[in-house]
Amino acid sequence: VDFTIEVERALRVLDGGILVLCGVSGVQSQSLTVDRQMKRYNVPRLAFINKLDRQGSNPWKVIEDLRHQLKLNASAVQIPIGLEDKHEGVVDLIEQKTYVFDGEKGENVVEGEIPSELQELVDEKRAELIECLADVDDEIGELFLMEEEPTKEDLKAAIRRQTVACSFVPVFMGSAFKNKGVQKLLDGVLDYLPEPIEKQNFALDRSKDEEPVEVTCKKDDPLLALAFKLEETPFGQLTYMRVYQGMLKKGNQIVNVNDGKKIKLARIVRMHSDEMEDIEEAHAGDVVAMFGIDCRSMDTFSDGNLNLAMSSMFVPDAVMSLAIKPAQTKMQNNFAKALNKFTKEDPTLRVRVDAETKETIISGMGELHLEVYIERMKREYNVEVVSGKPNVNYKETITSKATFDWLHKKQSGGS
């Protein structure tokens, strides 16, 4: 919950996602939060039921949770071969083949035929899959009513259509720790999640009272990109950007739509976890990172020909506040610099000075969230911070009417 904004900003720019669920616990409180975020941005998804090698795992209970708690039209496209310590692999309900994952890290995928003891369950779950698809897809619905068996090509095409339309969620299974089922899940990403051009995205026309305009996602059109994440590195600020249309090219100038500043692109990198690969250009649909760009999180960039801005993300209200001050007065400059930087990169961190107590108050999503920023001030800016509960200015007021009799005696002179 403390870092829910990281999920929020990722889902704002992604074209598809994988909802990972525990095979034992099923839908948990954080699953509900992530589901709400995915629905907010209409992100097509696959579901992956993980930890099927753990004691007490039950994928069918998890699928029921998906249907009843998250109200998703979900159905398994695989069934597990064994559960708990007997979990070996999966049966693909579309290809009707088994995949066993051998080796220390499940790197050897052995394809085989469905064993006779699993055939009845395969037939039952395949029929359930076709039924769930028939509810939302006209072509499969027609075959279902005609009592004809759809081919694997028909099923794959229907799953892709309805996944992209956010009307269906294919459920994959496995154990990520041993890489069991992960290879088939990645095949599912290629088969069922949309390409950038298939996902509808809208920009707001600032000259027409923020009227929505559909983004084309073509590389030859004018540039439109969104800076969705800022990160402080030893080389300076690293800005993560999603290109929605047009292209970014090293050496070209781009314009920040929000403040009109022109910026020259000195370096563009493609991120591979914590490794950077230098690239010359990035096309529509790419997510890249750049150095030397001074901006705020959720700023829109163009090549100067458009007055469009991408919509921002949903930012939840802060739930906790702390009063902070630098341990020594000489640290005041670095203290102010750090707060300015942190509020630029994280919209859920709010900073204000209380008008009555004159304290600097930081507000965020939880205790851990605020502690991380206090620790970062110490590590990155060498500022020791004293933190505590915000002081409250208590005031007295009249709350009710009171009656009294009083004789005022005044002596005018004498003793």
Side-chain angles (χ1 to χ4, degrees):
V1 173
D2 290 86
F3 303 101
T4 189
I5 198 69
E6 295 302 322
V7 182
E8 193 86 36
R9 72 165 96 241
L11 291 175
R12 167 64 189 83
V13 297
L14 292 178
D15 294 324
I18 300 167
L19 181 65
V20 182
L21 300 147
C22 175
V24 181
S25 308
V27 171
Q28 296 165 289
S29 57
Q30 197 60 28
S31 314
L32 296 167
T33 305
V34 174
D35 171 67
R36 197 161 52 242
Q37 290 169 320
M38 291 181 110
K39 284 173 178 167
R40 187 179 292 135
Y41 302 111
N42 293 321
V43 179
R45 73 182 93 178
L46 312 179
F48 181 68
I49 301 175
N50 193 19
K51 302 179 183 176
L52 291 186
D53 54 349
R54 267 184 58 187
Q55 197 168 356
S57 56
N58 182 355
W60 312 120
K61 174 190 165 291
V62 181
I63 291 174
E64 284 305 307
D65 285 352
L66 282 173
R67 289 171 182 164
H68 295 122
Q69 290 190 44
L70 303 187
K71 304 289 186 283
L72 296 172
N73 181 23
S75 187
V77 291
Q78 299 174 340
I79 67 164
I81 302 173
L83 289 171
E84 300 177 0
D85 56 350
K86 296 186 178 70
H87 181 55
E88 295 176 351
V90 293
V91 179
D92 191 314
L93 297 178
I94 297 164
E95 299 284 347
Q96 302 221 49
K97 287 180 180 170
T98 62
Y99 296 96
V100 175
F101 302 90
D102 277 347
E104 195 178 323
K105 292 184 178 175
E107 62 273 16
N108 305 321
V109 184
V110 182
E111 191 180 300
E113 296 302 313
I114 299 170
S116 55
E117 65 269 18
L118 286 176
Q119 190 62 56
E120 190 179 332
L121 183 61
V122 168
D123 293 341
E124 180 195 327
K125 296 300 176 186
R126 184 180 162 91
E128 197 178 286
L129 168 65
I130 293 167
E131 206 171 307
C132 287
L133 278 172
D135 286 342
V136 290
D137 190 83
D138 292 341
E139 289 183 27
I140 297 295
E142 203 172 304
L143 291 170
F144 183 73
L145 292 172
M146 304 272 286
E147 296 185 359
E148 292 179 19
E149 185 70 18
T151 63
K152 65 181 182 184
E153 288 78 16
D154 290 337
L155 282 174
K156 280 190 172 182
I159 292 171
R160 183 180 178 84
R161 273 195 304 274
Q162 299 312 320
T163 302
V164 171
C166 297
S167 301
F168 180 73
V169 179
V171 181
F172 292 77
M173 303 181 187
S175 168
F177 176 63
K178 308 267 177 64
N179 275 334
K180 289 178 179 175
V182 174
Q183 296 92 326
K184 301 310 293 177
L185 173 67
L186 294 175
D187 289 345
V189 169
L190 293 175
D191 289 340
Y192 306 131
L193 289 182
E195 296 176 35
I197 204 160
E198 290 178 278
K199 175 95 190 297
Q200 272 193 327
N201 287 297
F202 293 91
L204 305 173
D205 191 336
R206 289 153 63 105
S207 59
K208 293 183 182 175
D209 198 25
E210 297 197 340
E211 184 184 301
V213 178
E214 190 169 351
V215 178
T216 62
C217 205
K218 292 177 181 171
K219 69 173 187 177
D220 301 323
D221 286 344
L223 172 72
L224 203 58
L226 180 70
F228 67 93
K229 180 178 169 67
L230 313 179
E231 186 184 320
E232 198 60 43
T233 73
F235 311 106
Q237 181 178 295
L238 183 64
T239 305
Y240 288 80
M241 207 172 282
R242 159 74 200 261
V243 186
Y244 282 95
Q245 73 177 35
M247 60 190 285
L248 292 166
K249 204 166 187 177
K250 194 174 167 182
N252 280 9
Q253 271 199 343
I254 59 173
V255 178
N256 187 333
V257 173
N258 295 49
D259 59 17
K261 281 184 186 172
K262 290 185 177 178
I263 300 155
K264 190 174 182 180
L265 295 175
R267 188 182 178 198
I268 307 174
V269 294
R270 182 175 285 129
M271 302 299 290
H272 300 278
S273 185
D274 58 349
E275 292 177 14
M276 297 178 191
E277 176 198 345
D278 279 278
I279 56 173
E280 293 297 313
E281 57 185 44
H283 297 172
D286 287 347
V287 173
V288 292
M290 282 159 282
F291 286 102
I293 293 185
D294 183 30
C295 66
R296 297 184 75 87
S297 179
M298 291 293 146
D299 276 359
T300 303
F301 289 85
S302 76
D303 50 13
N305 300 327
L306 293 174
N307 193 21
L308 301 178
M310 299 303 296
S311 59
S312 188
M313 62 181 167
F314 170 77
V315 180
D317 292 332
V319 295
M320 185 176 172
S321 298
L322 278 179
I324 59 169
K325 63 178 181 181
Q328 296 172 12
T329 318
K330 65 180 183 181
M331 296 175 176
Q332 190 67 44
N333 279 350
N334 277 1
F335 177 73
K337 260 187 206 172
L339 288 179
N340 185 40
K341 193 76 183 168
F342 296 156
T343 49
K344 259 187 177 185
E345 65 183 57
D346 185 353
T348 57
L349 182 74
R350 276 90 164 188
V351 179
R352 64 183 174 86
V353 176
D354 191 288
E356 290 167 347
T357 62
K358 307 300 179 197
E359 289 181 317
T360 302
I361 310 290
I362 58 168
S363 307
M365 300 308 295
E367 195 174 354
L368 180 63
H369 184 214
L370 300 179
E371 279 175 5
V372 165
Y373 280 112
I374 290 169
E375 181 58 36
R376 277 185 66 186
M377 275 191 216
K378 184 179 173 183
R379 195 174 64 241
E380 295 172 24
Y381 292 88
N382 203 24
V383 176
E384 287 279 356
V385 172
V386 179
S387 64
K389 291 178 182 176
N391 286 323
V392 177
N393 243 6
Y394 290 101
K395 294 179 180 177
E396 292 181 352
T397 185
I398 298 166
T399 57
S400 60
K401 183 179 174 183
T403 56
F404 65 96
D405 289 315
W406 177 257
L407 179 61
H408 179 58
K409 294 178 182 177
K410 186 177 178 184
Q411 191 171 330
S412 56
S415 56

